[in-house]
Amino acid sequence: MADLFAPMRFIRGPEMKNRLMLAPLTNLQSHPDGTLSFDEHRWLTFRAQGGFGLTMTAAAHVQRIGQGFPGQVGIFSDVHIPGLARLAEDIRKAGSLAVVQLHHAGMRSPAGLIGEAPVCPSEDAETGSRALTLEEVHRLRDDFIAAAVRAEKAGFDGVEIHGAHGYVLCQFLSAETNRRTDDYGGSPENRARLILEIIDGVRAACRADFNLGLRLSPERFGLSLMEIRDLAGRLFSEAKIDYLDMSLWDCFKEPVEEAHRGRTLMSYFTDLPRGEVRLGVAGKIMSAADARAMLDAGADFVLLGRAAILHHDWPQKARANPDFRPVSLPVTRAHLEAEGLGPPFVTYMATWAGFVEG
């Protein structure tokens, strides 16, 4: 039986005490200027205290115009460092690794929120997005790198680059949203260039033992499963990242592309040679048995989202009871408040069908 509580080493940085990582979760509860709120600090440190081996922030935007939703934590200015530093210290005191997810929403930034037209690799009429100039692409790359440096200054163990879910780096990967004719568009290699340059830049700018992860999703948003698989293979072979976080929406599902059905979506990544780079998966992992099944199927670790919302101490409960399953949905607002969610987060979860009573 797979051991969820076996330690896991990375190429760089401290080891994770178990195979359980808190997924980066939108929660809408930081301040309008992106500084960390008490509610967000409590939500995250509560999970660290609950036994997660690595505690990751919600997506933190690396540019002001990259904000994707209200109450999003920021890392685009040095004004964000003090709050982040307190968070990193308290996560690490609880025995968990502390990681910031670096994010830019691109064309998914609401114009009413950022006060101007959102940006995209190429012009997008549906969202009213304008195309980034080449100079702006380079600035975007440099701002991701600068955000990683801020995270390092704040005392975090590492960062995860958000290249999934149709946000700006995912928009570059997609041939549908990226119709550029310069070095950042066209071939799959060109469309991946921005992510690869950010990885190289973080490696050059941060200390040698700074942990670096990347989140990818393999379908939807105009993505090609085989292109993402090829990119994953390259990332494994080059070993510049410490882990690849595959957000699959559902770890048990088959691909949506007809030509690739007949096996699980997850299997297209677990069968790749990965050397010392670790592979994590996320998507509808709720019970301890679900998590063990993912390790048995070839993942090195799992990321928990909804399960971690329901139980801040999911790891401790799973250690005490190998058959642990989360409480049934829907749950009360009082349950979520007791689990460390602030009012904006509880209100947000009430928009998820069947999650909150009433």
Side-chain angles (χ1 to χ4, degrees):
M1 183 183 294
D3 185 359
L4 296 175
F5 298 95
M8 185 177 74
R9 292 187 179 277
F10 295 102
I11 301 171
R12 304 162 190 88
E15 72 175 17
M16 199 161 83
K17 66 184 178 182
N18 57 40
R19 304 304 177 103
L20 303 169
M21 188 179 291
L22 177 68
L25 290 163
T26 300
N27 57 62
L28 312 185
Q29 57 186 7
S30 271
H31 297 303
D33 64 356
T35 53
L36 198 78
S37 68
F38 170 82
D39 284 342
E40 186 129 15
H41 184 280
R42 180 170 180 255
W43 144 256
L44 290 164
T45 54
F46 214 25
R47 269 72 204 159
Q49 293 160 8
F52 282 91
L54 186 151
T55 303
M56 195 181 310
T57 69
H61 51 307
V62 303
Q63 290 183 336
R64 183 194 62 79
I65 63 166
Q67 186 174 0
F69 35 86
Q72 183 176 3
V73 64
I75 195 167
F76 58 86
S77 166
D78 287 353
V79 74
H80 300 126
I81 292 178
L84 291 170
R86 290 191 295 273
L87 176 64
E89 181 180 11
D90 287 348
I91 288 174
R92 296 178 71 182
K93 277 182 181 177
S96 183
L97 303 188
V99 168
V100 180
Q101 189 190 57
L102 306 182
H103 167 263
H104 189 295
M107 69 180 185
R108 298 187 67 186
S109 295
L113 182 63
I114 64 174
E116 59 185 274
V119 296
C120 191
S122 304
E123 183 179 357
D124 182 76
E126 183 178 348
T127 59
S129 302
R130 64 173 182 83
L132 290 157
T133 66
L134 181 59
E135 180 183 1
E136 287 173 328
V137 174
H138 292 160
R139 188 179 310 139
L140 177 62
R141 173 197 64 202
D142 294 346
D143 285 344
F144 266 95
I145 297 164
V149 171
R150 288 190 188 97
E152 181 183 17
K153 287 181 179 177
F156 284 85
D157 295 296
V159 294
E160 176 181 273
I161 300 164
H162 197 338
H165 301 173
Y167 295 118
V168 79
L169 298 181
C170 185
Q171 292 159 28
F172 271 88
L173 292 175
S174 167
E176 290 183 10
T177 49
N178 182 355
R179 303 179 304 282
R180 301 180 71 91
T181 57
D182 59 16
D183 287 347
Y184 294 92
S187 67
E189 183 175 3
N190 279 359
R191 285 183 271 118
R193 187 181 304 277
L194 180 57
I195 286 177
L196 297 173
E197 288 184 348
I198 292 169
I199 291 169
D200 285 343
V202 173
R203 279 279 161 249
C206 295
R207 64 179 186 268
D209 66 345
F210 195 63
N211 186 275
L212 178 59
L214 172 67
R215 169 164 271 205
L216 294 176
S217 43
E219 52 188 21
R220 301 172 61 178
F221 310 110
L223 297 174
S224 157
L225 172 56
M226 287 300 103
E227 285 187 5
I228 300 301
R229 174 181 158 90
D230 288 346
L231 176 57
R234 175 175 180 175
L235 292 162
F236 287 145
S237 66
E238 292 182 351
K240 294 177 182 177
I241 61 171
D242 296 292
Y243 65 88
L244 181 63
D245 161 12
M246 292 303 307
S247 184
L248 304 176
W249 307 103
D250 180 346
C251 288
F252 305 91
K253 71 185 288 292
E254 294 187 6
V256 296
E257 295 178 43
E258 188 72 39
H260 304 305
R261 290 183 181 170
R263 54 187 283 197
T264 64
L265 179 61
M266 174 181 166
S267 70
Y268 283 91
F269 300 92
T270 54
D271 72 352
L272 290 169
R274 72 187 78 144
E276 295 184 74
V277 179
R278 303 303 188 183
L279 173 64
V281 294
K284 296 190 177 180
I285 301 169
M286 298 298 289
S287 69
D290 290 341
R292 288 194 301 271
M294 295 304 98
L295 300 192
D296 286 338
D300 293 306
F301 65 94
V302 298
L303 296 102
L304 300 181
R306 284 174 296 172
I309 291 172
L310 293 171
H311 298 284
H312 77 280
D313 55 352
W314 192 103
Q316 292 173 354
K317 291 184 183 304
R319 182 186 280 276
N321 176 13
D323 297 319
F324 173 69
R325 296 191 63 86
V327 62
S328 297
L329 296 175
V331 294
T332 64
R333 289 175 177 263
H335 173 88
L336 295 179
E337 290 165 359
E339 288 297 330
L341 281 70
F345 198 178
V346 174
T347 299
Y348 173 60
M349 293 312 301
T351 69
W352 288 36
F355 204 93
V356 181
E357 287 182 6

